[in-house]
Amino acid sequence: MNDTSDDRTALEAVGLGKRYRRGWALRDCTFRIPAGAVCGMVGPNGAGKSTLLGLAAQLLTPTEGTVTVFGRPLDAPGQRARVAFVAQDKPLYQRFTVAEMLRLGRELNPGWNQTAAQRIVDQGELPGDARLGSLSGGQRTRVALALALGKQPDLLILDEPMSDMDPLARHQLMGTLMSEAATNGTTLLMSSHILAELDGTIDHLLLVDAGRIRLAGEVDEILAAHRLVSGADPGEGAADPTAGHTVVETRRIGRQLTALIRPEGELSGALEVSRPTLEELLLSYLRSPQAPTLFTDSARAGHDAAVAA
């Protein structure tokens, strides 16, 4: 059998979809995440984020389309050792102690890194003889992340990993994750609803809404393609200062007009222009489901990539 592995692409989905009895949770998702990326996945509740992550980790079977990890299906020989997944509910053996859980991780994973796993546990001052059932939600999250990092995966998938942790612990663990990713070249894909914490942390973005991908690609390129403009509202019947540009969202408060746009040429001199923050951009897209999608070249997969080339 030919080796079709591609170490340049950590995750690629082509026409990916998942249908449940109540309807489609995901439909026609096509995107690519480059190896080594720190990718944040955002979207409202029920958008399909957890379903997409479950498909990527092969915990779910797609209804249509394909998903590959480093160019190969996850069930190909040797693939599962390259991926670690931390789910929202952090399933752990409640009667095990912390030390026993780490020992299990060591026994099940030939490439186990005890130092990396122990570092996460020690940061939370978790005693080795503490039973997992007696730990708080945030403490169990530490153990789950310790198991994932101890595996030394090439792709680490995290579904709302730190939602049950206090801000200081989240900041500390995020720093550890970034350090591990930089040191080992690990690709991170994590969903989060804390938009402000993603700014300055992620370098790639997936915005999932209503079961579809609306934004995908490098954060810097996506931000550079947009401008936040504001000025006096010209009123009904007057020339629209945003005409000729792709408008994501327009908001009017009193006599003031504010809009997020993708400029198509020169901007009106009557407008104040600034570059949006990541949070401002994401909130505008979430408030405007009719806004057109945007994929940067690095996020294109399958047929889309061939057309772009």
Side-chain angles (χ1 to χ4, degrees):
M1 185 177 73
N2 293 330
D3 183 2
T4 58
S5 63
D6 180 5
D7 285 338
R8 299 168 301 174
T9 301
L11 183 69
E12 184 173 51
V14 178
L16 188 63
K18 177 64 178 177
R19 182 183 177 92
Y20 298 105
R21 288 185 178 181
R22 65 183 182 275
W24 289 93
L26 285 174
R27 196 79 194 269
D28 195 27
C29 292
T30 298
F31 64 90
R32 169 183 176 270
I33 298 176
V38 178
C39 183
M41 179 186 294
V42 300
N45 292 335
K49 301 188 299 298
S50 292
T51 296
L52 181 52
L53 295 181
L55 290 167
Q58 210 181 55
L59 299 176
L60 299 172
T61 302
T63 305
E64 62 183 17
T66 60
V67 58
T68 54
V69 175
F70 298 104
R72 304 174 70 195
L74 196 55
D75 57 3
Q79 284 290 83
R80 286 200 173 275
R82 304 188 71 177
V83 180
F85 176 64
V86 178
Q88 285 189 41
D89 55 359
K90 289 92 179 180
L92 299 167
Y93 293 106
Q94 300 297 300
R95 294 187 179 182
F96 277 34
T97 66
V98 172
E100 288 170 342
M101 201 71 222
L102 294 188
R103 186 160 62 248
L104 179 63
R106 183 170 66 246
E107 294 295 328
L108 293 177
N109 297 285
W112 181 259
N113 186 330
Q114 180 67 22
T115 300
Q118 194 66 49
R119 183 184 303 120
I120 301 294
V121 169
D122 290 345
Q123 284 178 350
E125 300 179 348
L126 301 181
D129 59 357
R131 296 203 177 275
L132 299 179
S134 69
L135 301 180
S136 68
Q139 289 172 324
R140 287 195 295 272
T141 294
R142 277 193 177 277
V143 178
L145 287 171
L147 290 170
L149 287 175
K151 187 179 180 180
Q152 295 195 104
D154 295 318
L155 172 63
L156 177 56
I157 302 173
L158 306 169
D159 190 1
E160 297 283 0
M162 300 173 226
S163 58
D164 52 6
M165 304 187 80
D166 63 75
L168 180 59
R170 284 202 306 266
H171 178 78
Q172 182 188 60
L173 270 178
M174 187 64 74
T176 300
L177 285 173
M178 296 303 103
S179 176
E180 291 290 334
T183 300
N184 301 317
T186 307
T187 304
L188 292 180
L189 171 59
M190 53 186 173
S191 67
S192 177
H193 63 275
I194 307 174
L195 303 184
E197 289 191 352
L198 295 177
D199 203 354
T201 300
I202 63 172
D203 52 34
H204 277 69
L205 174 69
L206 285 177
L207 173 60
V208 185
D209 194 6
R212 298 180 183 271
I213 306 296
R214 296 183 56 205
L215 289 174
E218 295 176 331
V219 170
D220 285 346
E221 288 190 24
I222 291 174
L223 289 174
H226 294 81
R227 289 294 182 269
L228 198 61
V229 299
S230 61
D233 189 343
E236 187 175 351
D240 184 350
T242 64
H245 306 289
T246 300
V247 179
V248 175
E249 179 191 38
T250 300
R251 304 179 75 191
R252 289 177 168 84
I253 301 177
R255 297 183 178 181
Q256 187 75 7
L257 176 147
T258 301
L260 180 72
I261 66 171
R262 298 182 206 162
E264 306 288 344
E266 294 294 324
L267 291 166
S268 168
L271 295 171
E272 295 183 12
V273 182
S274 63
R275 180 165 165 165
T277 66
L278 180 60
E279 184 174 13
E280 288 171 334
L281 180 139
L282 290 173
L283 287 174
S284 286
Y285 271 88
L286 291 172
R287 288 190 296 252
S288 307
Q290 79 288 346
T293 61
L294 176 64
F295 284 63
T296 70
D297 288 343
S298 67
R300 299 182 187 277
H303 174 73
D304 290 343
V307 171

